[in-house]
Amino acid sequence: MTRIPATMRAAVLHGPERLAIEERPVPAPGGRQVLVRIDAVGTCGSDVHYYRHGRIGDFVVREPMILGHEPSGTVVACGPGATRHQVGQRVSIEPGTPCGTCTECRLGRYNLCPDMVFYATPPVDGVFCEYAAVHEEFAHAVPDTLSDEAAALLEPLSVGVWSCRKARVVPGDRVLVTGAGPIGLVAAQTALAFGASEVLVTDIVPHRLELARELGATAVDVSRTPLADLGHAPNVLLECSGVPAVINEAIRTMARAGRVVLVGMGGDEVPLPLAKVQNYELEVTGTFRYANTWPIAIALAASGSVRLDPLVTHGYGLADTEQALTAGARDRTAIKSVVYPQK
Protein backbone atom coordinates (compact mmCIF):
# COMPACT_ATOMS: atom_id res chain seq x y z
CA MET A 1 0.00 0.00 0.00
CA THR A 2 1.27 3.48 -0.89
CA ARG A 3 2.11 5.54 2.17
CA ILE A 4 0.47 8.96 1.94
CA PRO A 5 2.30 11.70 3.85
CA ALA A 6 0.56 14.39 5.88
CA THR A 7 2.23 17.23 4.01
CA MET A 8 3.53 17.87 0.51
CA ARG A 9 5.70 20.33 -1.34
CA ALA A 10 4.06 22.96 -3.53
CA ALA A 11 5.39 25.77 -5.74
CA VAL A 12 3.45 28.82 -4.54
CA LEU A 13 3.22 32.14 -6.39
CA HIS A 14 3.18 35.14 -4.04
CA GLY A 15 3.28 37.84 -6.67
CA PRO A 16 4.96 38.66 -9.97
CA GLU A 17 8.21 36.68 -10.20
CA ARG A 18 7.95 35.62 -6.56
CA LEU A 19 7.70 31.84 -6.30
CA ALA A 20 8.48 29.76 -3.21
CA ILE A 21 8.52 26.04 -2.42
CA GLU A 22 6.34 25.51 0.62
CA GLU A 23 4.82 22.71 2.66
CA ARG A 24 1.07 22.29 2.32
CA PRO A 25 -1.27 19.66 3.79
CA VAL A 26 -2.00 16.72 1.50
CA PRO A 27 -5.71 17.06 0.65
CA ALA A 28 -8.10 14.35 1.77
CA PRO A 29 -10.32 13.08 -1.06
CA GLY A 30 -13.97 13.98 -0.51
CA GLY A 31 -17.09 12.34 -1.85
CA ARG A 32 -16.51 10.81 -5.32
CA GLN A 33 -12.98 12.17 -5.32
CA VAL A 34 -9.67 10.37 -5.80
CA LEU A 35 -6.31 11.43 -4.42
CA VAL A 36 -3.75 11.58 -7.23
CA ARG A 37 0.02 11.60 -6.84
CA ILE A 38 1.06 14.15 -9.42
CA ASP A 39 3.81 12.75 -11.66
CA ALA A 40 4.10 15.34 -14.44
CA VAL A 41 2.72 18.82 -15.13
CA GLY A 42 3.13 20.75 -18.35
CA THR A 43 3.77 24.49 -18.21
CA CYS A 44 1.38 26.70 -20.14
CA GLY A 45 1.62 30.25 -21.42
CA SER A 46 -0.98 31.26 -18.85
CA ASP A 47 1.26 29.94 -16.05
CA VAL A 48 4.11 32.03 -17.42
CA HIS A 49 1.87 35.10 -17.67
CA TYR A 50 0.65 34.76 -14.07
CA TYR A 51 4.25 34.26 -12.93
CA ARG A 52 5.47 37.39 -14.71
CA HIS A 53 2.53 39.73 -14.24
CA GLY A 54 0.35 38.31 -11.45
CA ARG A 55 -2.76 38.58 -13.58
CA ILE A 56 -4.44 37.78 -16.88
CA GLY A 57 -7.10 40.34 -17.69
CA ASP A 58 -9.66 40.35 -14.88
CA PHE A 59 -8.10 37.29 -13.20
CA VAL A 60 -5.73 38.66 -10.55
CA VAL A 61 -3.56 36.71 -8.10
CA ARG A 62 -4.54 38.40 -4.83
CA GLU A 63 -3.47 35.62 -2.47
CA PRO A 64 -0.68 33.01 -2.65
CA MET A 65 -1.63 30.50 -5.35
CA ILE A 66 -0.22 27.29 -6.83
CA LEU A 67 0.14 27.40 -10.62
CA GLY A 68 -0.10 24.49 -13.09
CA HIS A 69 -3.09 22.95 -14.88
CA GLU A 70 -1.70 20.23 -17.21
CA PRO A 71 -1.27 17.25 -14.85
CA SER A 72 -0.97 13.51 -14.99
CA GLY A 73 -0.47 11.15 -12.09
CA THR A 74 -1.43 7.97 -10.27
CA VAL A 75 -4.45 7.31 -8.05
CA VAL A 76 -3.26 6.58 -4.50
CA ALA A 77 -6.55 6.73 -2.57
CA CYS A 78 -10.30 6.82 -3.22
CA GLY A 79 -12.77 8.95 -1.28
CA PRO A 80 -16.31 7.95 -0.25
CA GLY A 81 -18.40 6.81 -3.21
CA ALA A 82 -15.52 6.91 -5.71
CA THR A 83 -15.74 3.73 -7.79
CA ARG A 84 -14.34 4.57 -11.26
CA HIS A 85 -10.68 3.92 -10.46
CA GLN A 86 -8.54 1.53 -8.49
CA VAL A 87 -5.48 2.56 -6.53
CA GLY A 88 -2.54 2.42 -8.94
CA GLN A 89 -4.49 3.60 -11.99
CA ARG A 90 -2.57 6.15 -14.07
CA VAL A 91 -4.71 9.14 -15.00
CA SER A 92 -4.72 12.39 -16.93
CA ILE A 93 -6.53 15.09 -14.99
CA GLU A 94 -9.02 17.42 -16.64
CA PRO A 95 -8.32 20.65 -14.75
CA GLY A 96 -11.81 22.13 -14.60
CA THR A 97 -14.76 20.98 -12.50
CA PRO A 98 -18.12 22.49 -13.58
CA CYS A 99 -21.18 22.81 -11.39
CA GLY A 100 -23.08 20.19 -13.42
CA THR A 101 -26.50 21.82 -12.96
CA CYS A 102 -26.50 25.17 -14.79
CA THR A 103 -27.96 25.63 -18.29
CA GLU A 104 -24.54 25.39 -19.98
CA CYS A 105 -23.67 22.18 -18.15
CA ARG A 106 -27.03 20.59 -18.92
CA LEU A 107 -26.59 21.44 -22.61
CA GLY A 108 -23.17 19.78 -22.65
CA ARG A 109 -21.25 23.07 -22.87
CA TYR A 110 -19.70 22.73 -19.46
CA ASN A 111 -16.62 24.70 -20.56
CA LEU A 112 -18.92 27.74 -20.39
CA CYS A 113 -20.16 26.97 -16.86
CA PRO A 114 -20.16 30.30 -14.96
CA ASP A 115 -19.22 28.47 -11.76
CA MET A 116 -16.35 26.45 -13.21
CA VAL A 117 -13.55 25.70 -10.74
CA PHE A 118 -10.39 25.59 -12.86
CA TYR A 119 -6.86 24.86 -11.68
CA ALA A 120 -4.49 27.82 -11.47
CA THR A 121 -7.22 30.38 -12.20
CA PRO A 122 -7.40 32.79 -9.25
CA PRO A 123 -8.26 32.02 -6.53
CA VAL A 124 -8.10 28.26 -7.30
CA ASP A 125 -4.82 26.43 -6.63
CA GLY A 126 -3.23 24.46 -9.44
CA VAL A 127 -1.06 21.37 -9.41
CA PHE A 128 2.60 22.32 -9.22
CA CYS A 129 2.50 20.16 -6.09
CA GLU A 130 2.86 16.52 -5.10
CA TYR A 131 -0.80 15.51 -4.62
CA ALA A 132 -4.27 16.67 -5.68
CA ALA A 133 -7.83 15.59 -4.85
CA VAL A 134 -9.86 15.25 -8.06
CA HIS A 135 -13.48 14.39 -8.82
CA GLU A 136 -13.34 10.88 -10.26
CA GLU A 137 -15.20 11.94 -13.44
CA PHE A 138 -12.33 14.28 -14.33
CA ALA A 139 -9.52 11.82 -13.66
CA HIS A 140 -9.27 9.99 -16.99
CA ALA A 141 -7.62 6.56 -17.10
CA VAL A 142 -4.75 6.35 -19.59
CA PRO A 143 -3.04 3.28 -21.04
CA ASP A 144 0.48 2.39 -19.95
CA THR A 145 1.66 2.99 -23.52
CA LEU A 146 1.35 6.74 -22.87
CA SER A 147 4.23 8.41 -21.02
CA ASP A 148 3.58 10.59 -17.99
CA GLU A 149 4.46 13.58 -20.15
CA ALA A 150 2.00 12.63 -22.91
CA ALA A 151 -0.72 12.01 -20.32
CA ALA A 152 -0.15 15.52 -18.97
CA LEU A 153 -0.21 17.04 -22.46
CA LEU A 154 -3.66 15.63 -23.14
CA GLU A 155 -4.78 19.00 -21.76
CA PRO A 156 -3.32 21.09 -24.61
CA LEU A 157 -4.29 18.32 -27.03
CA SER A 158 -7.86 18.81 -25.84
CA VAL A 159 -7.60 22.43 -26.99
CA GLY A 160 -6.61 21.12 -30.42
CA VAL A 161 -9.47 18.63 -30.45
CA TRP A 162 -11.99 21.29 -29.40
CA SER A 163 -10.69 23.69 -32.05
CA CYS A 164 -11.05 21.09 -34.80
CA ARG A 165 -14.52 20.22 -33.59
CA LYS A 166 -15.50 23.90 -33.63
CA ALA A 167 -14.12 24.15 -37.17
CA ARG A 168 -15.94 20.95 -38.19
CA VAL A 169 -12.77 19.59 -39.81
CA VAL A 170 -13.61 16.70 -42.15
CA PRO A 171 -11.68 14.64 -44.70
CA GLY A 172 -10.56 16.74 -47.64
CA ASP A 173 -10.36 20.06 -45.78
CA ARG A 174 -7.49 22.44 -46.46
CA VAL A 175 -6.42 23.75 -43.08
CA LEU A 176 -4.21 26.71 -42.19
CA VAL A 177 -2.74 26.79 -38.66
CA THR A 178 -1.11 30.11 -37.73
CA GLY A 179 1.43 29.76 -34.94
CA ALA A 180 3.62 26.70 -34.30
CA GLY A 181 3.62 26.80 -30.51
CA PRO A 182 2.38 23.80 -28.52
CA ILE A 183 -1.29 24.52 -29.31
CA GLY A 184 -0.63 25.06 -33.01
CA LEU A 185 1.39 21.85 -33.21
CA VAL A 186 -1.33 19.74 -31.57
CA ALA A 187 -4.08 21.47 -33.58
CA ALA A 188 -2.23 20.67 -36.81
CA GLN A 189 -1.81 17.02 -35.85
CA THR A 190 -5.45 16.78 -34.83
CA ALA A 191 -6.60 18.26 -38.15
CA LEU A 192 -4.54 15.64 -39.98
CA ALA A 193 -6.01 12.90 -37.77
CA PHE A 194 -9.50 14.23 -38.58
CA GLY A 195 -8.75 13.68 -42.28
CA ALA A 196 -7.63 17.07 -43.56
CA SER A 197 -5.97 16.63 -46.93
CA GLU A 198 -3.57 19.52 -46.35
CA VAL A 199 -2.41 21.25 -43.17
CA LEU A 200 -0.17 24.28 -43.52
CA VAL A 201 1.50 25.68 -40.38
CA THR A 202 3.03 29.16 -40.31
CA ASP A 203 5.51 30.72 -37.90
CA ILE A 204 8.79 32.65 -37.92
CA VAL A 205 10.80 30.37 -35.59
CA PRO A 206 12.79 27.80 -37.59
CA HIS A 207 12.97 24.98 -35.03
CA ARG A 208 9.21 25.11 -34.45
CA LEU A 209 8.58 24.93 -38.17
CA GLU A 210 10.96 21.98 -38.44
CA LEU A 211 9.00 20.15 -35.74
CA ALA A 212 5.75 20.94 -37.57
CA ARG A 213 7.23 19.24 -40.64
CA GLU A 214 8.33 16.23 -38.60
CA LEU A 215 4.77 15.93 -37.29
CA GLY A 216 3.30 15.80 -40.78
CA ALA A 217 2.37 19.38 -41.67
CA THR A 218 3.59 21.66 -44.43
CA ALA A 219 5.55 24.45 -42.73
CA VAL A 220 5.99 28.01 -43.99
CA ASP A 221 8.31 30.67 -42.57
CA VAL A 222 6.19 33.80 -43.03
CA SER A 223 9.19 36.03 -42.32
CA ARG A 224 10.46 34.85 -45.71
CA THR A 225 7.22 34.09 -47.56
CA PRO A 226 4.15 36.17 -46.60
CA LEU A 227 0.83 34.37 -46.55
CA ALA A 228 -0.46 36.60 -49.32
CA ASP A 229 2.23 35.25 -51.65
CA LEU A 230 1.40 31.58 -51.11
CA GLY A 231 -1.69 31.42 -53.29
CA HIS A 232 -3.16 29.24 -50.55
CA ALA A 233 -6.92 29.46 -49.95
CA PRO A 234 -7.77 27.30 -46.93
CA ASN A 235 -11.34 26.49 -46.05
CA VAL A 236 -10.41 26.16 -42.36
CA LEU A 237 -8.28 28.53 -40.28
CA LEU A 238 -7.13 27.54 -36.81
CA GLU A 239 -5.61 30.79 -35.56
CA CYS A 240 -3.21 29.90 -32.74
CA SER A 241 -0.90 32.92 -32.62
CA GLY A 242 -3.18 35.53 -31.06
CA VAL A 243 -1.32 38.23 -33.03
CA PRO A 244 -3.77 40.78 -34.50
CA ALA A 245 -1.82 41.34 -37.73
CA VAL A 246 -1.55 37.58 -38.30
CA ILE A 247 -5.27 37.09 -37.69
CA ASN A 248 -6.12 39.80 -40.21
CA GLU A 249 -3.75 38.49 -42.88
CA ALA A 250 -4.84 34.87 -42.43
CA ILE A 251 -8.54 35.68 -42.74
CA ARG A 252 -7.82 37.49 -46.00
CA THR A 253 -6.51 34.22 -47.48
CA MET A 254 -9.67 32.22 -46.77
CA ALA A 255 -11.71 30.40 -49.37
CA ARG A 256 -15.42 31.14 -49.76
CA ALA A 257 -17.64 29.79 -46.96
CA GLY A 258 -14.52 29.10 -44.90
CA ARG A 259 -14.52 28.46 -41.17
CA VAL A 260 -12.32 30.55 -38.88
CA VAL A 261 -11.63 29.48 -35.30
CA LEU A 262 -9.79 31.95 -33.06
CA VAL A 263 -7.76 29.91 -30.58
CA GLY A 264 -4.78 32.07 -29.60
CA MET A 265 -5.15 34.58 -26.80
CA GLY A 266 -4.08 38.02 -28.02
CA GLY A 267 -5.40 41.48 -27.29
CA ASP A 268 -8.94 42.21 -26.16
CA GLU A 269 -9.78 43.57 -29.61
CA VAL A 270 -8.51 42.73 -33.10
CA PRO A 271 -9.39 44.32 -36.46
CA LEU A 272 -11.35 42.05 -38.78
CA PRO A 273 -11.46 42.42 -42.57
CA LEU A 274 -15.22 42.70 -42.47
CA ALA A 275 -15.72 42.95 -46.23
CA LYS A 276 -13.91 39.61 -46.64
CA VAL A 277 -15.98 38.02 -43.87
CA GLN A 278 -19.26 39.22 -45.40
CA ASN A 279 -18.51 38.76 -49.09
CA TYR A 280 -17.12 35.26 -48.57
CA GLU A 281 -19.67 34.32 -45.92
CA LEU A 282 -16.95 33.27 -43.53
CA GLU A 283 -17.86 31.77 -40.17
CA VAL A 284 -15.77 33.28 -37.36
CA THR A 285 -15.91 31.87 -33.84
CA GLY A 286 -13.87 31.74 -30.69
CA THR A 287 -12.95 28.90 -28.36
CA PHE A 288 -12.83 28.68 -24.59
CA ARG A 289 -11.11 25.62 -23.15
CA TYR A 290 -12.94 22.39 -24.12
CA ALA A 291 -15.70 19.97 -23.18
CA ASN A 292 -15.92 16.17 -23.51
CA THR A 293 -12.56 15.97 -25.29
CA TRP A 294 -10.48 13.60 -23.14
CA PRO A 295 -11.75 10.32 -24.62
CA ILE A 296 -10.83 11.30 -28.18
CA ALA A 297 -7.57 12.95 -27.04
CA ILE A 298 -6.55 9.72 -25.30
CA ALA A 299 -7.45 7.70 -28.40
CA LEU A 300 -5.48 10.00 -30.71
CA ALA A 301 -2.39 9.92 -28.50
CA ALA A 302 -2.58 6.18 -27.75
CA SER A 303 -2.94 5.31 -31.44
CA GLY A 304 0.02 7.46 -32.43
CA SER A 305 -2.15 9.69 -34.62
CA VAL A 306 -0.98 12.60 -32.48
CA ARG A 307 2.54 12.60 -31.03
CA LEU A 308 2.95 14.55 -27.80
CA ASP A 309 6.36 13.50 -26.50
CA PRO A 310 8.27 15.43 -29.23
CA LEU A 311 6.82 18.67 -27.85
CA VAL A 312 8.66 18.22 -24.52
CA THR A 313 11.99 20.06 -24.69
CA HIS A 314 12.76 20.71 -21.00
CA GLY A 315 12.15 18.91 -17.69
CA TYR A 316 12.53 20.14 -14.11
CA GLY A 317 11.97 18.95 -10.55
CA LEU A 318 9.47 20.80 -8.38
CA ALA A 319 12.20 22.87 -6.72
CA ASP A 320 13.07 24.25 -10.16
CA THR A 321 9.54 25.25 -11.17
CA GLU A 322 10.73 28.82 -11.63
CA GLN A 323 13.26 27.57 -14.18
CA ALA A 324 10.46 25.75 -16.01
CA LEU A 325 8.41 28.96 -16.18
CA THR A 326 11.31 30.98 -17.57
CA ALA A 327 12.77 28.39 -19.94
CA GLY A 328 11.24 30.04 -22.99
CA ALA A 329 12.85 33.38 -22.15
CA ARG A 330 16.28 31.76 -21.82
CA ASP A 331 16.13 29.28 -24.68
CA ARG A 332 14.43 29.97 -28.00
CA THR A 333 14.35 26.25 -28.74
CA ALA A 334 11.98 25.67 -25.81
CA ILE A 335 8.54 24.43 -26.78
CA LYS A 336 7.10 22.70 -23.70
CA SER A 337 8.63 22.44 -20.24
CA VAL A 338 7.42 19.74 -17.85
CA VAL A 339 7.64 19.82 -14.04
CA TYR A 340 8.01 16.53 -12.15
CA PRO A 341 6.62 17.15 -8.65
CA GLN A 342 7.99 13.90 -7.24
CA LYS A 343 11.58 14.93 -8.08
Side-chain angles (χ1 to χ4, degrees):
M1 176 178 290
T2 303
R3 178 183 173 275
I4 301 171
T7 62
M8 66 179 181
R9 296 177 304 150
V12 182
L13 183 69
H14 287 264
E17 299 187 346
R18 292 193 296 122
L19 196 75
I21 305 301
E22 300 178 0
E23 289 288 319
R24 291 279 186 96
V26 171
R32 296 201 63 196
Q33 286 189 327
V34 291
L35 181 66
V36 178
R37 183 190 70 217
I38 304 299
D39 296 324
V41 189
T43 58
C44 175
S46 65
D47 296 317
V48 175
H49 203 87
Y50 279 126
Y51 168 76
R52 288 182 175 165
H53 306 289
R55 67 183 301 156
I56 297 178
D58 294 334
F59 295 103
V60 182
V61 180
R62 303 186 188 280
E63 298 178 353
M65 185 183 80
I66 302 170
L67 294 174
H69 66 268
E70 299 180 3
S72 68
T74 305
V75 174
V76 294
C78 299
T83 59
R84 288 179 62 89
H85 305 297
Q86 299 292 321
V87 170
Q89 174 65 60
R90 296 176 63 244
V91 294
S92 173
I93 299 173
E94 187 169 348
T97 304
C99 75
T101 59
C102 70
T103 298
E104 303 303 333
C105 285
R106 285 185 284 110
L107 290 174
R109 303 188 296 244
Y110 65 79
N111 57 311
L112 301 179
C113 172
D115 296 316
M116 174 73 78
V117 176
F118 199 92
Y119 285 156
T121 300
V124 181
D125 279 331
V127 283
F128 284 148
C129 56
E130 294 181 295
Y131 294 89
V134 185
H135 193 289
E136 64 175 350
E137 295 287 345
F138 297 96
H140 301 272
V142 296
D144 288 338
T145 53
L146 284 187
S147 66
D148 291 338
E149 294 86 351
L153 298 191
L154 291 173
E155 195 278 343
L157 176 53
S158 281
V159 176
V161 170
W162 188 245
S163 302
C164 286
R165 281 182 171 174
K166 292 283 283 186
R168 305 191 305 281
V169 175
V170 295
D173 276 338
R174 302 182 312 280
V175 178
L176 171 62
V177 178
T178 45
I183 297 300
L185 292 170
V186 295
Q189 292 187 79
T190 304
L192 287 166
F194 277 26
S197 60
E198 180 184 25
V199 175
L200 190 150
V201 176
T202 65
D203 207 295
I204 60 174
V205 182
H207 75 274
R208 294 192 174 207
L209 291 168
E210 180 57 34
L211 182 54
R213 292 186 191 97
E214 292 175 10
L215 296 173
T218 299
V220 175
D221 185 340
V222 286
S223 68
R224 297 169 179 264
T225 308
L227 269 177
D229 294 345
L230 291 176
H232 180 79
N235 60 309
V236 172
L237 168 61
L238 303 177
E239 206 303 302
C240 299
S241 75
V243 178
V246 174
I247 297 170
N248 189 292
E249 184 180 12
I251 289 176
R252 292 181 186 277
T253 71
M254 294 296 293
R256 297 178 189 275
R259 303 175 308 271
V260 176
V261 179
L262 303 178
V263 187
M265 298 291 286
D268 288 341
E269 296 182 3
V270 297
L272 285 178
L274 190 57
K276 175 80 177 194
V277 172
Q278 289 183 319
N279 294 341
Y280 276 54
E281 288 199 348
L282 302 182
E283 298 179 33
V284 182
T285 186
T287 59
F288 186 65
R289 297 171 180 161
Y290 33 68
N292 303 302
T293 52
W294 252 256
I296 190 170
I298 292 169
L300 289 173
S303 68
S305 299
V306 171
R307 296 165 56 203
L308 297 172
D309 289 311
L311 275 61
V312 179
T313 53
H314 295 68
Y316 300 90
L318 187 67
D320 294 321
T321 298
E322 201 160 11
Q323 296 298 305
L325 293 168
T326 57
R330 298 191 314 274
D331 184 354
R332 279 185 62 83
T333 68
I335 294 178
K336 177 68 74 170
S337 294
V338 171
V339 172
Y340 301 97
Q342 303 302 319
K343 297 182 179 179

